[in-house]
């Protein structure tokens, strides 16, 4: 059973930074694709960033140049470095993990971590 746990959220002033972590805990497991999503109150869940097994990354336009996604495959952990945070970045951030084909190729989800940006 793979558990996905996000951490690192909190309250930060506009212009500040936070680093989120997403850890997939399981033996004999490796990450294929990992994606960060966010959901603000009253809004739909939206894609933020993704990291792929070939090393490529993808971002939504509004976070390009401010957010950086990275991964440590030996720790099955994915990070989201968020700089120059804006009020509109306030949301619950969660990650989706797609396991590698060799380890089952299934999708796993975390519960999320709250990020609140204040003025």
């Amino acid at each position: 059973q793979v558990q996905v746990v996000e951490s690192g959220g909190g309250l930060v002033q506009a212009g500040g930074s936070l680093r989120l972590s997403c850890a997939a805990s399981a033996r004999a497991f490796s990450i294929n694709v990992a994606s960060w999503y966010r959901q603000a109150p009253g809004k739909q869940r939206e894609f933020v960033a993704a990291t792929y097994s070939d090393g490529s990354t993808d971002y939504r336009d509004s976070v390009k140049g401010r957010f950086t996604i990275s991964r440590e495959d030996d720790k099955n952990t994915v990070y989201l470095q968020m700089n120059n945070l804006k009020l509109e970045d306030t949301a619950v951030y969660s990650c989706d993990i797609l396991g590698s084909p060799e380890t089952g190729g299934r999708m796993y989800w975390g519960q999320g971590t709250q990020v609140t940006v204040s003025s």
Side-chain angles (χ1 to χ4, degrees):
Q1 182 71 15
V2 178
Q3 289 189 326
V4 177
V5 179
E6 301 95 338
S7 61
L11 175 64
V12 63
Q13 286 191 325
S17 298
L18 282 174
R19 188 194 195 204
L20 305 183
S21 298
C22 170
S25 60
R27 293 184 177 182
F29 178 78
S30 59
I31 297 173
N32 183 0
V33 181
S35 306
W36 283 98
Y37 285 80
R38 66 187 182 186
Q39 186 166 21
K43 296 188 177 181
Q44 288 190 333
R45 192 175 190 239
E46 62 183 22
F47 169 80
V48 177
T51 173
Y52 303 91
S53 57
D54 65 357
S56 62
T57 57
D58 194 17
Y59 298 90
R60 71 179 298 105
D61 286 346
S62 63
V63 307
K64 286 180 180 178
R66 300 188 298 122
F67 291 11
T68 302
I69 190 170
S70 61
R71 58 196 284 169
E72 285 191 273
D73 287 338
D74 58 340
K75 296 181 179 179
N76 280 335
T77 301
V78 179
Y79 305 97
L80 185 68
Q81 177 67 44
M82 305 185 295
N83 298 327
N84 190 22
L85 282 160
K86 302 178 179 181
L87 296 179
E88 53 264 39
D89 294 320
T90 294
V92 174
Y93 286 70
S94 59
C95 65
D96 294 358
I97 300 289
L98 176 64
S100 67
E102 297 79 10
T103 59
R106 295 180 61 184
M107 185 71 77
Y108 301 92
W109 300 268
Q111 293 297 312
T113 184
Q114 176 70 47
V115 172
T116 303
V117 184
S118 65
S119 58

